Amino acid sequence: MPVPDGPSTGRLLLAATPIGDPDDASARLRRWLAEADVVAAEDTRRLRRLTGALGVDVRGRVVAHHEHNETGGSGGSSSALLAEVQAGRTVLVVTDAGMPTVSDPGYRAVVAAVEAGLPVTVLPGPSAVLAALAVSGLPTDRFAFDGFLPRRRGERERALAGLVAEQRTVVLFEAPHRLAEMLDHAAEVLGATRRAAVCRELTKTYEEVRRGTLAELAAWAGAATVLGEVTVVLAGAVVEAAEPADLVAEVTAREAAGLRLKDAVAEVASLRGVRKNALYDAVLAARRG
């Protein structure tokens, strides 16, 4: 249950920070940067730059809370933050940009606080995921966020293969120096004509949004020098009407991967929009020859 703003009663506050323009900082973020007993920052130097831009004086204790120190049992920063909350202090968690826990530190501290029955609430605000989705020009009614794809080609190929039949719009993060390779690989696996958008430096001076097919975007990224924070939005798969007999091979492939026939039929029927009974009958008919 959300905890309203008020005197410190021991709680964990997750605060979204600007993804570019400091003016996007909420009034609640400004207030709690100044009033929290402890401010846990992914990068304390970035925090100082943000508070300087906002003209905010942090009166609480500033501690580092990042991917390298948030675990570690009693010696991890998550445990230290939990102890502060248990002692009745307000702990504000911020990352370099956007919402804590979303491809950023904070998740483990939240889990620990929830398990201990301690109050956890959020100061909503900027999000690269939602900003990119909104400006992508792609469907927004149903979407998924997949974070960063694996760096290794084989692992990335398996991750992309899982998106071949994904009908929801998918939002990804990618490092600028890997963007061209990732888009080229995505075009191979998902199809060169799959629509996508590359959103770079959102809310910043050199904001850029490129829209097109994966093939077009891969060619652009390969010829350009891409810099800054990058978010990629992929259109969902377009499911075409299919006859059950045409889907027998897909069922067989899933069986070969270890699924039971019943589960394989259910999965393919759901993805391809056909009745399970009709597909099951088609598989049996094909096996009878």
Side-chain angles (χ1 to χ4, degrees):
M1 181 175 180
V3 180
D5 289 346
S8 175
T9 56
R11 54 183 164 165
L12 190 71
L13 303 181
L14 306 173
T17 54
I19 59 175
D21 192 331
D23 287 341
D24 290 335
S26 70
R28 293 181 71 202
L29 173 63
R30 295 168 188 262
R31 172 188 172 182
W32 285 108
L33 281 170
E35 296 185 11
D37 300 300
V38 179
V39 178
E42 182 179 9
D43 185 328
T44 57
R45 294 167 300 180
R46 293 281 290 269
L47 174 66
R48 284 196 294 271
R49 287 199 291 271
L50 174 62
T51 55
L54 298 179
V56 172
D57 180 24
V58 178
R59 295 191 288 272
R61 185 163 60 89
V62 175
V63 299
H65 180 69
H66 47 72
E67 62 178 336
H68 301 297
N69 76 347
E70 65 176 330
T71 57
S74 60
S77 63
S78 294
S79 297
L81 298 183
L82 188 67
E84 297 285 358
V85 176
Q86 289 172 323
R89 301 183 181 91
T90 294
V91 176
L92 181 71
V93 178
V94 295
T95 63
D96 292 345
M99 179 61 68
T101 79
V102 181
S103 282
D104 277 320
Y107 171 73
R108 291 176 177 84
V110 171
V111 170
V114 170
E115 290 179 347
L118 297 171
V120 180
T121 190
V122 64
L123 280 55
S127 163
V129 175
L130 294 181
L133 180 68
V135 302
S136 69
L138 298 172
T140 60
D141 54 335
R142 297 175 65 240
F143 72 94
F145 172 60
D146 265 18
F148 286 90
L149 291 177
R151 297 182 184 184
R152 294 183 178 180
R153 185 175 180 84
E155 295 175 359
R156 186 170 63 225
E157 183 169 3
R158 286 191 289 274
L160 287 169
L163 301 178
V164 170
E166 175 59 72
Q167 298 177 45
R168 295 172 296 179
T169 300
V170 176
V171 183
L172 305 167
F173 289 156
E174 189 52 272
H177 63 279
R178 292 195 297 268
L179 179 64
E181 181 184 10
M182 187 276 277
L183 290 172
D184 189 60
H185 199 183
E188 290 179 16
V189 177
L190 303 178
T193 60
R194 180 80 71 101
R195 304 293 299 179
V198 175
C199 307
R200 187 181 70 84
E201 293 290 87
L202 288 170
T203 77
K204 300 177 185 177
T205 302
Y206 298 104
E207 175 178 302
E208 180 179 22
V209 180
R210 291 268 178 172
R211 305 174 183 88
T213 66
L214 282 172
E216 292 168 343
L217 293 172
W220 161 74
T225 300
V226 181
L227 302 173
E229 302 291 332
V230 174
T231 306
V232 178
V233 186
L234 301 173
V238 176
V239 178
E240 299 178 357
E243 292 296 326
D246 298 330
L247 304 178
V248 171
E250 293 188 30
V251 173
T252 302
R254 282 168 169 75
E255 275 192 287
L259 285 183
R260 296 183 306 164
L261 174 59
K262 180 181 178 181
D263 296 331
V265 167
E267 185 173 297
V268 173
S270 176
L271 289 172
R272 302 303 294 271
V274 299
R275 291 187 301 111
K276 286 189 292 185
N277 289 346
L279 181 54
Y280 188 82
D281 290 342
V283 173
L284 294 183
R287 293 181 180 181
R288 288 193 299 265

